[in-house]
Coordinates of all heavy atoms in Angstrom, one line a residue:
M1 N -7.6 -0.6 0.4 CA -8.0 0.4 1.3 C -7.1 1.6 1.2 O -5.9 1.4 0.9 CB -7.9 -0.2 2.7 CG -6.5 -0.2 3.3 SD -6.4 -1.2 4.8 CE -6.5 -2.8 4.1
R2 N -7.7 2.7 1.3 CA -6.9 4.0 1.2 C -6.2 4.2 2.5 O -6.7 4.0 3.6 CB -7.9 5.1 0.9 CG -7.1 6.5 0.8 CD -8.1 7.6 0.5 NE -8.4 7.4 -1.0 CZ -9.4 8.0 -1.6 NH1 -10.2 8.7 -0.9 NH2 -9.5 7.8 -2.9
L3 N -4.9 4.7 2.4 CA -4.1 5.0 3.6 C -4.4 6.4 3.9 O -4.2 7.3 3.1 CB -2.6 4.7 3.3 CG -2.3 3.3 3.1 CD1 -0.8 3.1 2.9 CD2 -2.7 2.4 4.2
H4 N -4.7 6.7 5.2 CA -5.0 8.0 5.7 C -3.7 8.5 6.4 O -3.1 7.8 7.2 CB -6.2 8.0 6.6 CG -7.4 7.6 5.9 ND1 -8.1 8.4 5.0 CD2 -8.1 6.4 5.9 CE1 -9.1 7.7 4.5 NE2 -9.1 6.5 5.0
L5 N -3.4 9.8 6.1 CA -2.2 10.4 6.7 C -2.3 10.5 8.2 O -3.3 10.8 8.8 CB -2.0 11.8 6.1 CG -1.7 11.9 4.6 CD1 -1.7 13.3 4.2 CD2 -0.4 11.3 4.3
S6 N -1.1 10.4 8.8 CA -0.9 10.7 10.2 C -0.5 12.2 10.3 O -0.5 12.9 9.3 CB 0.2 9.8 10.8 OG 1.4 10.1 10.2
T7 N -0.2 12.6 11.5 CA 0.2 14.0 11.7 C 1.4 14.5 10.9 O 1.5 15.6 10.5 CB 0.3 14.3 13.2 OG1 1.3 13.4 13.7 CG2 -1.0 14.2 13.9
D8 N 2.4 13.5 10.7 CA 3.6 13.9 10.0 C 3.5 13.8 8.5 O 4.4 14.2 7.8 CB 4.8 13.1 10.5 CG 4.8 11.7 10.1 OD1 3.8 11.2 9.4 OD2 5.7 10.9 10.5
G9 N 2.4 13.3 8.0 CA 2.2 13.2 6.5 C 2.9 12.1 5.8 O 2.7 11.9 4.6
K10 N 3.6 11.3 6.4 CA 4.3 10.1 5.8 C 4.2 8.8 6.5 O 4.6 7.8 6.1 CB 5.8 10.5 5.7 CG 6.2 11.6 4.7 CD 6.0 11.2 3.3 CE 6.4 12.3 2.4 NZ 6.2 12.0 1.0
H11 N 3.5 8.8 7.7 CA 3.4 7.7 8.5 C 1.9 7.2 8.5 O 1.0 7.9 8.7 CB 3.8 8.0 9.9 CG 3.7 6.9 10.9 ND1 2.8 6.9 12.0 CD2 4.3 5.7 10.9 CE1 3.0 5.8 12.6 NE2 3.9 5.0 12.0
F12 N 1.7 5.9 8.1 CA 0.4 5.3 8.0 C 0.3 4.1 8.8 O 1.1 3.2 8.7 CB 0.1 5.0 6.5 CG 0.3 6.1 5.5 CD1 1.6 6.3 5.0 CD2 -0.7 6.9 5.2 CE1 1.8 7.4 4.1 CE2 -0.5 7.9 4.3 CZ 0.7 8.2 3.7
D13 N -0.8 4.0 9.5 CA -1.2 2.7 10.2 C -2.4 2.2 9.5 O -3.4 3.0 9.3 CB -1.4 3.0 11.7 CG -0.2 3.3 12.5 OD1 0.9 2.7 12.2 OD2 -0.2 4.2 13.3
F14 N -2.5 0.9 9.3 CA -3.7 0.3 8.6 C -3.8 -1.1 9.1 O -2.9 -1.7 9.7 CB -3.6 0.4 7.1 CG -2.4 -0.4 6.5 CD1 -2.7 -1.7 6.0 CD2 -1.2 0.1 6.4 CE1 -1.6 -2.4 5.5 CE2 -0.1 -0.6 5.9 CZ -0.3 -1.9 5.4
E15 N -5.0 -1.6 8.9 CA -5.3 -3.0 9.3 C -5.8 -3.8 8.2 O -6.6 -3.4 7.3 CB -6.4 -2.9 10.4 CG -6.6 -4.3 11.1 CD -7.5 -4.1 12.3 OE1 -7.4 -3.1 13.0 OE2 -8.1 -5.1 12.7
T16 N -5.3 -5.1 8.1 CA -5.8 -6.0 7.2 C -6.6 -7.1 7.9 O -6.3 -7.4 9.1 CB -4.7 -6.7 6.4 OG1 -3.8 -7.3 7.3 CG2 -3.9 -5.7 5.5
V17 N -7.6 -7.7 7.2 CA -8.4 -8.7 7.8 C -8.1 -10.0 7.1 O -8.1 -11.1 7.7 CB -9.9 -8.3 7.7 CG1 -10.8 -9.4 8.2 CG2 -10.2 -7.0 8.4
I18 N -7.9 -10.0 5.8 CA -7.7 -11.2 5.0 C -6.2 -11.4 4.8 O -5.6 -10.5 4.2 CB -8.4 -11.1 3.6 CG1 -9.9 -10.9 3.9 CG2 -8.2 -12.2 2.8 CD1 -10.8 -10.5 2.7
P19 N -5.7 -12.5 5.2 CA -4.2 -12.8 4.9 C -4.0 -13.0 3.4 O -4.6 -13.8 2.8 CB -3.9 -14.0 5.7 CG -5.3 -14.7 5.8 CD -6.3 -13.6 5.8
A20 N -3.2 -12.1 2.8 CA -2.9 -12.2 1.4 C -1.7 -11.4 1.0 O -1.2 -10.6 1.9 CB -4.1 -11.7 0.6
S21 N -1.3 -11.4 -0.3 CA -0.3 -10.5 -0.8 C -0.9 -9.2 -1.2 O -1.9 -9.2 -1.9 CB 0.5 -11.2 -1.9 OG 1.2 -12.3 -1.4
Y22 N -0.3 -8.1 -0.8 CA -0.8 -6.8 -1.1 C 0.4 -5.9 -1.7 O 1.5 -6.2 -1.4 CB -1.3 -6.1 0.2 CG -2.5 -6.7 0.7 CD1 -2.4 -7.7 1.7 CD2 -3.8 -6.4 0.3 CE1 -3.5 -8.3 2.3 CE2 -4.9 -7.0 0.9 CZ -4.8 -7.9 1.8 OH -5.9 -8.5 2.4
E23 N 0.0 -4.9 -2.4 CA 0.9 -3.9 -2.9 C 0.4 -2.5 -2.4 O -0.8 -2.3 -2.3 CB 1.1 -3.9 -4.4 CG 1.8 -5.1 -4.9 CD 2.1 -5.0 -6.4 OE1 2.4 -3.9 -6.9 OE2 2.0 -6.1 -7.0
I24 N 1.3 -1.6 -2.2 CA 1.0 -0.2 -1.9 C 1.2 0.5 -3.2 O 2.3 0.5 -3.8 CB 1.8 0.3 -0.8 CG1 1.6 -0.5 0.5 CG2 1.4 1.8 -0.5 CD1 2.4 -0.1 1.7
I25 N 0.1 1.2 -3.7 CA 0.2 1.9 -5.0 C -0.2 3.3 -4.8 O -0.9 3.6 -3.8 CB -0.6 1.2 -6.1 CG1 -2.1 1.1 -5.7 CG2 -0.1 -0.2 -6.4 CD1 -3.0 0.6 -6.8
A26 N 0.1 4.2 -5.8 CA -0.3 5.6 -5.8 C -0.7 5.9 -7.2 O -0.1 5.4 -8.2 CB 0.8 6.5 -5.3
R27 N -1.6 6.8 -7.3 CA -2.1 7.2 -8.6 C -1.0 8.0 -9.4 O -0.9 7.8 -10.6 CB -3.3 8.2 -8.5 CG -3.8 8.6 -9.8 CD -4.8 9.7 -9.8 NE -5.6 9.8 -8.6 CZ -6.8 10.3 -8.6 NH1 -7.4 10.6 -9.7 NH2 -7.5 10.5 -7.5
D28 N -0.1 8.7 -8.7 CA 0.8 9.7 -9.4 C 2.2 9.3 -9.4 O 3.1 10.1 -9.7 CB 0.6 11.1 -8.8 CG 0.9 11.1 -7.3 OD1 0.9 10.1 -6.7 OD2 1.1 12.2 -6.8
V29 N 2.6 8.0 -9.0 CA 4.0 7.6 -9.0 C 4.0 6.1 -9.3 O 3.1 5.3 -9.0 CB 4.6 7.9 -7.6 CG1 4.1 7.0 -6.5 CG2 6.1 7.7 -7.7
G30 N 5.0 5.7 -10.1 CA 5.1 4.3 -10.5 C 5.4 3.3 -9.4 O 4.9 2.3 -9.3
T31 N 6.4 3.7 -8.6 CA 6.8 2.8 -7.5 C 6.8 3.5 -6.2 O 7.4 4.5 -6.0 CB 8.2 2.2 -7.7 OG1 8.3 1.6 -9.0 CG2 8.7 1.3 -6.6
V32 N 6.0 3.0 -5.3 CA 5.9 3.5 -3.9 C 7.0 2.9 -3.1 O 7.2 1.6 -3.1 CB 4.5 3.2 -3.3 CG1 4.5 3.7 -1.8 CG2 3.4 3.9 -4.1
M33 N 7.8 3.7 -2.4 CA 8.9 3.2 -1.6 C 8.7 3.6 -0.1 O 8.2 4.7 0.1 CB 10.2 3.6 -2.2 CG 10.4 3.0 -3.5 SD 11.8 3.6 -4.4 CE 13.1 3.3 -3.3
G34 N 9.3 2.8 0.8 CA 9.2 3.2 2.2 C 9.6 2.1 3.1 O 10.4 1.2 2.7
V35 N 9.1 2.0 4.3 CA 9.4 1.0 5.3 C 8.0 0.4 5.7 O 7.2 1.2 6.2 CB 10.2 1.5 6.5 CG1 10.4 0.4 7.5 CG2 11.5 2.1 6.0
L36 N 7.8 -0.9 5.5 CA 6.6 -1.5 5.8 C 6.9 -2.5 6.9 O 7.7 -3.4 6.8 CB 6.0 -2.3 4.6 CG 4.7 -3.1 4.8 CD1 3.6 -2.2 5.3 CD2 4.3 -3.8 3.5
D37 N 6.3 -2.3 8.1 CA 6.4 -3.1 9.2 C 7.9 -3.3 9.6 O 8.4 -4.4 9.9 CB 5.7 -4.5 9.1 CG 4.2 -4.4 9.0 OD1 3.7 -3.4 9.5 OD2 3.6 -5.3 8.4
G38 N 8.7 -2.3 9.5 CA 10.1 -2.3 9.8 C 11.0 -2.8 8.8 O 12.3 -2.9 9.0
E39 N 10.5 -3.2 7.6 CA 11.4 -3.7 6.5 C 11.2 -2.8 5.3 O 10.1 -2.4 5.0 CB 11.0 -5.2 6.2 CG 11.3 -6.1 7.3 CD 10.9 -7.6 6.9 OE1 10.9 -7.9 5.7 OE2 10.6 -8.3 7.8
R40 N 12.3 -2.7 4.6 CA 12.3 -1.8 3.4 C 11.2 -2.3 2.4 O 11.1 -3.5 2.2 CB 13.7 -1.9 2.7 CG 13.8 -0.8 1.7 CD 15.3 -0.5 1.4 NE 15.7 -1.3 0.2 CZ 16.9 -1.3 -0.2 NH1 17.9 -0.7 0.5 NH2 17.2 -2.0 -1.3
Y41 N 10.5 -1.4 1.8 CA 9.5 -1.7 0.8 C 9.8 -0.9 -0.5 O 9.9 0.3 -0.4 CB 8.1 -1.3 1.3 CG 7.0 -1.6 0.4 CD1 6.5 -2.9 0.2 CD2 6.5 -0.6 -0.5 CE1 5.5 -3.2 -0.7 CE2 5.5 -0.9 -1.4 CZ 5.0 -2.2 -1.5 OH 4.1 -2.4 -2.5
E42 N 9.8 -1.7 -1.6 CA 10.1 -1.1 -2.9 C 9.1 -1.4 -4.0 O 9.4 -1.8 -5.1 CB 11.5 -1.4 -3.3 CG 12.6 -0.9 -2.4 CD 14.0 -1.2 -2.9 OE1 14.2 -2.1 -3.7 OE2 14.9 -0.6 -2.3
G43 N 7.8 -1.3 -3.6 CA 6.7 -1.5 -4.6 C 6.4 -3.0 -5.0 O 5.6 -3.2 -5.9
K44 N 7.0 -3.9 -4.3 CA 6.7 -5.3 -4.6 C 5.6 -5.9 -3.7 O 5.4 -5.4 -2.6 CB 8.0 -6.2 -4.4 CG 9.2 -5.7 -5.2 CD 9.1 -6.2 -6.6 CE 10.4 -5.8 -7.3 NZ 10.3 -5.9 -8.7
A45 N 4.9 -6.9 -4.2 CA 3.9 -7.6 -3.4 C 4.5 -8.1 -2.1 O 5.6 -8.6 -2.0 CB 3.3 -8.7 -4.1
R46 N 3.7 -7.9 -1.0 CA 4.2 -8.4 0.3 C 3.0 -9.1 1.0 O 1.9 -8.6 1.0 CB 4.6 -7.2 1.2 CG 5.0 -7.5 2.6 CD 6.5 -7.8 2.8 NE 7.4 -6.9 2.3 CZ 8.0 -5.9 3.0 NH1 7.6 -5.6 4.3 NH2 8.9 -5.1 2.5
F47 N 3.3 -10.3 1.5 CA 2.2 -11.0 2.3 C 2.0 -10.3 3.6 O 3.0 -10.1 4.4 CB 2.6 -12.5 2.5 CG 1.5 -13.2 3.2 CD1 0.5 -13.8 2.5 CD2 1.6 -13.4 4.6 CE1 -0.5 -14.5 3.1 CE2 0.6 -14.0 5.3 CZ -0.5 -14.6 4.5
L48 N 0.8 -10.0 3.9 CA 0.4 -9.4 5.2 C -0.6 -10.3 5.9 O -1.6 -10.6 5.3 CB -0.2 -8.0 4.9 CG 0.7 -7.0 4.3 CD1 -0.1 -5.7 4.0 CD2 2.0 -6.7 5.1
S49 N -0.3 -10.6 7.1 CA -1.2 -11.4 7.9 C -2.3 -10.4 8.5 O -2.1 -9.2 8.5 CB -0.5 -12.1 9.0 OG 0.2 -11.1 9.8
P50 N -3.4 -11.0 9.0 CA -4.4 -10.1 9.6 C -3.8 -9.3 10.8 O -3.0 -9.9 11.6 CB -5.5 -11.1 10.1 CG -5.3 -12.3 9.3 CD -3.8 -12.4 9.0
G51 N -4.2 -8.1 10.9 CA -3.7 -7.3 12.0 C -3.3 -5.9 11.6 O -3.5 -5.5 10.4
T52 N -2.7 -5.1 12.5 CA -2.3 -3.8 12.2 C -0.9 -3.7 11.6 O 0.0 -4.5 12.1 CB -2.3 -3.0 13.6 OG1 -3.6 -3.0 14.1 CG2 -1.9 -1.5 13.3
H53 N -0.7 -2.9 10.6 CA 0.6 -2.7 9.9 C 0.9 -1.2 9.9 O 0.0 -0.4 10.0 CB 0.5 -3.3 8.5 CG 0.1 -4.7 8.5 ND1 1.0 -5.7 8.7 CD2 -1.1 -5.3 8.4 CE1 0.4 -6.9 8.7 NE2 -0.9 -6.7 8.5
T54 N 2.2 -1.0 9.7 CA 2.7 0.4 9.7 C 3.5 0.6 8.4 O 4.4 -0.2 8.1 CB 3.6 0.7 10.9 OG1 2.8 0.5 12.1 CG2 4.1 2.1 10.9
F55 N 3.3 1.7 7.7 CA 4.0 2.1 6.5 C 4.5 3.5 6.7 O 3.8 4.4 7.0 CB 3.2 2.0 5.3 CG 3.9 2.3 4.0 CD1 5.0 1.5 3.6 CD2 3.6 3.4 3.3 CE1 5.7 1.9 2.4 CE2 4.3 3.8 2.2 CZ 5.3 3.0 1.7
V56 N 5.8 3.7 6.5 CA 6.4 5.0 6.5 C 6.9 5.3 5.0 O 7.8 4.6 4.6 CB 7.6 5.1 7.5 CG1 8.2 6.5 7.4 CG2 7.1 4.8 8.9
Q57 N 6.3 6.2 4.4 CA 6.6 6.5 3.0 C 7.9 7.3 2.9 O 8.1 8.3 3.6 CB 5.5 7.3 2.4 CG 5.6 7.6 0.9 CD 4.5 8.4 0.4 OE1 3.6 8.9 1.1 NE2 4.4 8.6 -0.9
T58 N 8.8 6.9 1.9 CA 10.0 7.6 1.6 C 10.0 8.2 0.2 O 10.9 9.0 -0.1 CB 11.3 6.8 1.8 OG1 11.2 5.6 1.0 CG2 11.4 6.3 3.3
S59 N 9.1 7.7 -0.6 CA 9.0 8.2 -2.0 C 7.9 9.3 -2.1 O 7.2 9.5 -1.1 CB 8.6 7.1 -3.0 OG 7.4 6.5 -2.6
S60 N 7.8 9.9 -3.3 CA 6.8 10.8 -3.5 C 5.5 10.0 -3.8 O 5.6 8.8 -3.9 CB 7.1 11.8 -4.7 OG 7.3 11.0 -5.9
G61 N 4.4 10.7 -4.0 CA 3.2 10.0 -4.3 C 2.1 10.4 -3.3 O 2.3 10.6 -2.1
H62 N 0.9 10.5 -3.8 CA -0.3 10.9 -3.0 C -1.4 9.8 -3.2 O -1.3 9.1 -4.2 CB -0.8 12.3 -3.4 CG 0.3 13.3 -3.2 ND1 1.2 13.7 -4.2 CD2 0.6 14.1 -2.2 CE1 2.0 14.6 -3.8 NE2 1.6 14.9 -2.5
E63 N -2.3 9.9 -2.3 CA -3.5 9.0 -2.4 C -3.0 7.5 -2.4 O -3.3 6.8 -3.3 CB -4.3 9.3 -3.6 CG -5.0 10.6 -3.5 CD -5.9 10.9 -4.7 OE1 -6.7 10.0 -5.1 OE2 -5.9 12.0 -5.2
L64 N -2.3 7.1 -1.4 CA -1.8 5.7 -1.3 C -2.9 4.8 -1.0 O -3.8 5.1 -0.2 CB -0.7 5.6 -0.3 CG 0.6 6.5 -0.5 CD1 1.6 6.2 0.7 CD2 1.2 6.2 -1.8
V65 N -2.8 3.6 -1.6 CA -3.8 2.5 -1.5 C -3.1 1.2 -1.3 O -2.1 0.9 -2.0 CB -4.7 2.5 -2.7 CG1 -5.7 1.3 -2.6 CG2 -5.4 3.8 -2.9
V66 N -3.5 0.4 -0.3 CA -3.1 -1.0 -0.1 C -4.1 -1.8 -1.0 O -5.3 -1.8 -0.7 CB -3.1 -1.4 1.4 CG1 -2.7 -2.9 1.5 CG2 -2.2 -0.5 2.2
F67 N -3.6 -2.5 -2.0 CA -4.4 -3.2 -2.9 C -4.0 -4.6 -3.1 O -2.8 -4.9 -3.0 CB -4.3 -2.4 -4.3 CG -5.5 -2.4 -5.1 CD1 -6.7 -1.7 -4.6 CD2 -5.6 -2.9 -6.4 CE1 -7.8 -1.6 -5.4 CE2 -6.7 -2.8 -7.1 CZ -7.8 -2.2 -6.6
W68 N -4.9 -5.5 -3.3 CA -4.6 -6.9 -3.4 C -3.7 -7.1 -4.6 O -3.9 -6.6 -5.7 CB -5.9 -7.7 -3.7 CG -5.9 -9.1 -3.8 CD1 -5.1 -10.0 -3.1 CD2 -6.6 -9.9 -4.8 NE1 -5.4 -11.3 -3.5 CE2 -6.3 -11.3 -4.5 CE3 -7.5 -9.6 -5.8 CZ2 -6.8 -12.3 -5.2 CZ3 -8.0 -10.7 -6.5 CH2 -7.7 -12.0 -6.2
A69 N -2.5 -7.8 -4.4 CA -1.5 -7.9 -5.4 C -2.0 -8.5 -6.7 O -1.5 -8.1 -7.8 CB -0.3 -8.7 -4.9
Q70 N -2.8 -9.5 -6.7 CA -3.3 -10.1 -7.9 C -4.2 -9.1 -8.7 O -4.1 -9.2 -10.0 CB -4.1 -11.4 -7.6 CG -3.3 -12.5 -7.1 CD -4.0 -13.8 -6.9 OE1 -5.0 -14.0 -7.6 NE2 -3.6 -14.6 -6.0
A71 N -4.9 -8.2 -8.1 CA -5.6 -7.2 -8.8 C -4.7 -6.2 -9.5 O -4.9 -5.8 -10.6 CB -6.6 -6.5 -7.9
V72 N -3.6 -5.9 -8.8 CA -2.6 -5.0 -9.4 C -2.0 -5.6 -10.6 O -1.8 -5.0 -11.7 CB -1.5 -4.6 -8.4 CG1 -0.4 -3.8 -9.1 CG2 -2.1 -3.8 -7.2
D73 N -1.6 -6.9 -10.5 CA -1.1 -7.7 -11.6 C -2.0 -7.7 -12.8 O -1.5 -7.8 -14.0 CB -0.7 -9.1 -11.2 CG 0.4 -9.2 -10.2 OD1 1.2 -8.2 -10.1 OD2 0.6 -10.2 -9.6
R74 N -3.3 -7.7 -12.6 CA -4.3 -7.7 -13.7 C -4.7 -6.3 -14.1 O -5.7 -6.1 -14.8 CB -5.5 -8.5 -13.2 CG -5.1 -10.0 -13.0 CD -6.3 -10.8 -12.5 NE -6.0 -12.2 -12.4 CZ -6.0 -12.9 -11.3 NH1 -6.5 -12.4 -10.2 NH2 -5.7 -14.2 -11.3
H75 N -4.0 -5.3 -13.6 CA -4.2 -3.9 -14.0 C -5.5 -3.3 -13.5 O -6.0 -2.3 -14.1 CB -4.0 -3.7 -15.5 CG -2.7 -4.2 -16.1 ND1 -1.5 -3.6 -15.8 CD2 -2.4 -5.3 -16.8 CE1 -0.6 -4.3 -16.4 NE2 -1.1 -5.4 -16.9
F76 N -6.0 -3.8 -12.5 CA -7.2 -3.2 -11.8 C -6.7 -2.0 -11.0 O -5.5 -2.1 -10.4 CB -7.9 -4.2 -10.9 CG -8.7 -5.2 -11.7 CD1 -8.2 -6.4 -11.9 CD2 -10.0 -4.9 -12.1 CE1 -8.9 -7.4 -12.6 CE2 -10.7 -5.9 -12.8 CZ -10.2 -7.1 -13.1
R77 N -7.5 -1.0 -10.8 CA -7.2 0.1 -10.0 C -8.4 0.5 -9.2 O -9.5 0.2 -9.6 CB -6.7 1.3 -10.8 CG -5.4 1.1 -11.5 CD -4.2 0.9 -10.5 NE -3.0 0.7 -11.1 CZ -2.3 -0.4 -11.3 NH1 -2.9 -1.5 -10.9 NH2 -1.2 -0.5 -11.8
P78 N -8.3 1.2 -8.1 CA -9.4 1.7 -7.3 C -10.4 2.5 -8.2 O -10.0 3.2 -9.1 CB -8.8 2.6 -6.2 CG -7.4 2.1 -6.1 CD -7.0 1.7 -7.5
T79 N -11.7 2.3 -8.0 CA -12.7 2.9 -8.8 C -12.6 4.5 -8.8 O -12.9 5.1 -9.8 CB -14.1 2.5 -8.4 OG1 -14.3 2.7 -7.1 CG2 -14.3 1.0 -8.7
E80 N -12.2 5.1 -7.7 CA -12.2 6.5 -7.6 C -11.0 7.1 -8.4 O -10.9 8.3 -8.5 CB -12.2 7.0 -6.1 CG -11.0 6.6 -5.4 CD -11.1 5.3 -4.6 OE1 -12.1 4.6 -4.8 OE2 -10.2 5.0 -3.8
W81 N -10.2 6.3 -8.9 CA -9.1 6.8 -9.7 C -9.5 7.0 -11.2 O -9.0 7.4 -12.1 CB -7.9 5.8 -9.7 CG -7.1 5.9 -8.4 CD1 -7.5 6.6 -7.3 CD2 -5.9 5.3 -8.1 NE1 -6.5 6.4 -6.3 CE2 -5.5 5.6 -6.8 CE3 -5.0 4.4 -8.8 CZ2 -4.4 5.1 -6.2 CZ3 -3.9 4.0 -8.2 CH2 -3.6 4.3 -6.9

């Protein structure tokens, strides 16, 4: 799912339905960094339970996407990229 910007441009709220490991990726940066649900995030897969999650970006990068970690490992990317 694509993350949509909040008013400050770095704060994202999103919801997952399927419990699984996900990564936050960007088209124009190798490693997305920030704070995911109150814990430091440095581009690694993170298990997310169903519900609302919050990500605050501290790295550069645009067009952030929450993507299934196994798809990232297999080099899949969103079709619009």
Side-chain angles (χ1 to χ4, degrees):
M1 80 192 73
R2 179 176 284 163
L3 296 182
H4 298 285
L5 292 174
S6 65
T7 55
D8 69 3
K10 294 287 184 179
H11 180 242
F12 304 88
D13 290 320
F14 63 96
E15 189 167 333
T16 58
V17 177
I18 299 170
S21 290
Y22 294 92
E23 288 186 37
I24 300 173
I25 60 174
R27 180 189 337 209
D28 59 344
V29 67
T31 302
V32 174
M33 296 172 56
V35 178
L36 176 59
D37 294 337
E39 295 182 25
R40 194 160 98 184
Y41 179 81
E42 295 181 346
K44 304 282 186 191
R46 173 91 54 93
F47 182 84
L48 298 177
S49 58
T52 302
H53 301 278
T54 300
F55 180 67
V56 179
Q57 183 181 10
T58 59
S59 64
S60 62
H62 299 90
E63 297 183 42
L64 299 183
V65 176
V66 177
F67 217 60
W68 184 42
Q70 289 186 27
V72 174
D73 291 344
R74 294 179 176 121
H75 305 288
F76 287 95
R77 293 295 182 260
T79 55
E80 64 270 8
W81 285 8

